[in-house]
Amino acid sequence: MDIQRFLDTQQLPLAYADTAQKWFEPLCERIKTHQKSAGQPFVVGINGSQGSGKSTLTAFISAYLENEYDLKVVALSIDDFYFDKSHRNSLATKFHPLLATRGVPGTHDIRLAMATIKGLKNKGDVAIPRFNKATDNPFPKEHWPRCAAPVDVIILEGWCVGVQPQAVNSVREPINLLEENHDSLGIWRNFVNTELAGAYQELFAQIDYQVMLKAPSFDCVFHWRLEQEDKLRSSTHADSSGIMSETQIATFIQHYQRLTEHALATLPATCDTVFSLNEDRVITSQDVTQ
């Protein structure tokens, strides 16, 4: 694999090459071994809080498996399955105003996600959904990339990928100002938890190998998400109405806090590989079960 080309394409520092060689190349080899023995399209799930490096890891796995083994890899982000603003506004009117904001379970088109994975496992031509965060709406369907299926490896990455629902008694009390001031009765958080317990678990059941980029705490998410938004702002040359300010980000991430903290506490026990990160997103250790 031409690591320098990958670094240039992803605009990464040279130090990432050492990280990739030490941690990610062995991960790719494990995925390749499992994929070969599976004898069918192999689904890899990647979980991590916002800004933890999921997209970059996904890109590296894809590039490595394609270059080293000539495997056909398709990367999906759960973010690309967000409902459009119109649909989320309908949810907000019917169930709770907080559902107008994309992010939590209940704001994704899980039926489309399931259909996309099914399509990638069978022979045919498959459109890969793409969501435009700058406009807070999906890209037009005619702009979605297309792929000839079946493929060898499907990667599904996202902040809530693989997460189980919370116990009912854990949802009762608000954990931040957003929940306290805007969901005092718990309608929104119970809706989210119920959605997570339903079709999302069917989607996550498609995963054959689960990876986690584990943040040290939720406190890091604000700074990591701020960096993401700055990159999005600098790369957007058209409509940027969906890009958030620092104050908006501070409020926005509170939508994610409950399930992010729940994932940090519970998901590592069910993962095949967990990379523990420090506040600078440097991997400090790993836990591999297979």
Side-chain angles (χ1 to χ4, degrees), residues 6-164:
F6 177 80
L7 297 179
D8 292 342
T9 301
Q10 298 291 320
Q11 298 182 320
L12 295 168
L14 186 60
Y16 192 89
D18 294 331
T19 298
Q21 183 178 37
K22 181 177 182 179
W23 305 107
F24 299 154
E25 288 186 10
L27 169 65
C28 291
E29 292 296 330
R30 292 195 294 274
I31 291 172
K32 171 61 177 66
T33 299
H34 287 294
Q35 180 273 331
K36 184 177 180 180
S37 62
Q40 60 183 357
F42 191 74
V43 182
V44 177
I46 299 180
N47 176 282
S49 59
Q50 297 181 55
S52 60
K54 300 182 300 297
S55 298
T56 306
L57 175 56
T58 297
F60 180 82
I61 294 172
S62 299
Y64 186 92
L65 294 178
E66 288 169 353
N67 284 274
E68 294 296 311
Y69 294 105
D70 198 29
L71 294 182
K72 191 170 186 178
V73 183
V74 169
L76 305 174
S77 170
I78 201 165
D79 290 358
D80 283 318
F81 296 99
Y82 284 131
F83 287 124
D84 62 25
K85 284 193 287 188
S86 175
H87 189 104
R88 298 195 319 265
N89 285 334
S90 295
L91 291 174
T93 300
K94 184 176 181 180
F95 297 106
H96 193 282
L98 286 178
L99 292 169
T101 302
R102 60 177 159 86
V104 295
T107 62
H108 303 91
D109 189 342
I110 298 302
R111 181 181 297 180
L112 177 59
M114 292 284 287
T116 302
I117 290 178
K118 181 179 179 180
L120 290 170
K121 289 183 174 183
N122 295 283
K123 188 174 182 179
D125 182 64
V126 182
I128 310 299
R130 290 290 183 257
F131 190 89
N132 186 350
K133 291 182 178 179
T135 63
D136 202 17
N137 271 308
F139 281 103
K141 290 184 179 180
E142 59 268 23
H143 295 166
W144 292 0
R146 306 194 71 86
C147 172
V151 301
D152 298 306
V153 176
I154 303 164
I155 303 175
L156 175 64
E157 59 95 351
W159 75 278
C160 63
V161 167
V163 178
Q164 299 287 315

Side-chain angles (χ1 to χ4, degrees), residues 82 165 219 254:
Y82 284 131
D219 293 337
Q254 290 185 55

